[in-house]
Amino acid sequence: RKEVEQDPGPFNVPEGATVAFNCTYSNSASQSFFWYRQDCRKEPKLLMSVYSSGNEDGRFTAQLNRASQYISLLIRDSKLSDSATYLCVVKRDDKIIFGKGTRLHILP
Amino acid sequence: DAGVIQSPRHEVTEMGQEVTLRCKPISGHDYLFWYRQTMMRGLELLIYFNNNVPIDDSGMPEDRFSAKMPNASFSTLKIQPSEPRDSAVYFCASSARFTTGELFFGEGSRLTVL
């Protein structure tokens, strides 16, 4: 079993819709959590950190449930420019471990 | 400001040849990571350095892979001999504040081994 699991998608969503991604992690010793975004044939870039109380950055909301070892990302009012792969990332001790990513296509 | 710089951007080589990938981290960053990305396996951590010292190389697939960081501004990842299954995009990333988890990635080196 992979340490960080994500639905690979693709999610095909009409522009303006709300979309949610989920991620589970297997190691309860994981300490910090993040979402990265990767555009096609580009490098990954940090989208946002995920805090236990949940946090919001504009149209993006991240949630963490430590008891269920579950992380989510919600995108409201999706834009064409949101089309990308979203990577769930977990930090455990000194290691930063990436999920395989969920592909999102926003349809005009 | 210059980001993480990797070279070459693309490399096509034949099986059995030596491949050397290069990375210049962001100045002042004290952590450097090498990742490999494929469709099948996603992003895999190969090795990381702190202050030029290798900390964890448990992700290095086998002895054909080696990495060095002779100084704070340069690192190499070498594959010798290369095999077709090594074909992937190799990313280098650096970080100044490791605990935040924010890694700054280079544009990657796309390796094709024929």
Side-chain angles (χ1 to χ4, degrees), chain A residues 34 36 38 94-96 100, chain B residues 40 48 56 98 100-101 103:
Chain A
F34 312 88
Y36 275 66
Q38 186 174 22
D94 286 346
K95 287 189 170 182
I96 297 181
K100 289 181 68 175
Chain B
M40 289 293 293
Y48 75 94
D56 187 335
F98 185 61
T100 69
L103 302 182

Side-chain angles (χ1 to χ4, degrees), chain A residues 41-62:
Chain A
R41 301 181 80 83
K42 298 286 190 180
E43 71 275 20
K45 293 183 180 179
L46 179 67
L47 177 66
M48 61 194 300
S49 301
V50 186
Y51 303 119
S52 297
S53 55
N55 50 296
E56 193 173 300
D57 183 0
R59 297 181 293 108
F60 298 81
T61 300

Side-chain angles (χ1 to χ4, degrees), chain B residues 4-5 24 30 39 46 53 70 73 75 82 90 102 106 110 114:
Chain B
V4 175
I5 299 171
K24 177 178 168 55
D30 49 6
M39 287 292 291
L46 300 177
V53 176
S73 59
S75 177
S82 57
Y90 290 81
E102 182 168 12
R110 184 173 296 273
L114 303 175

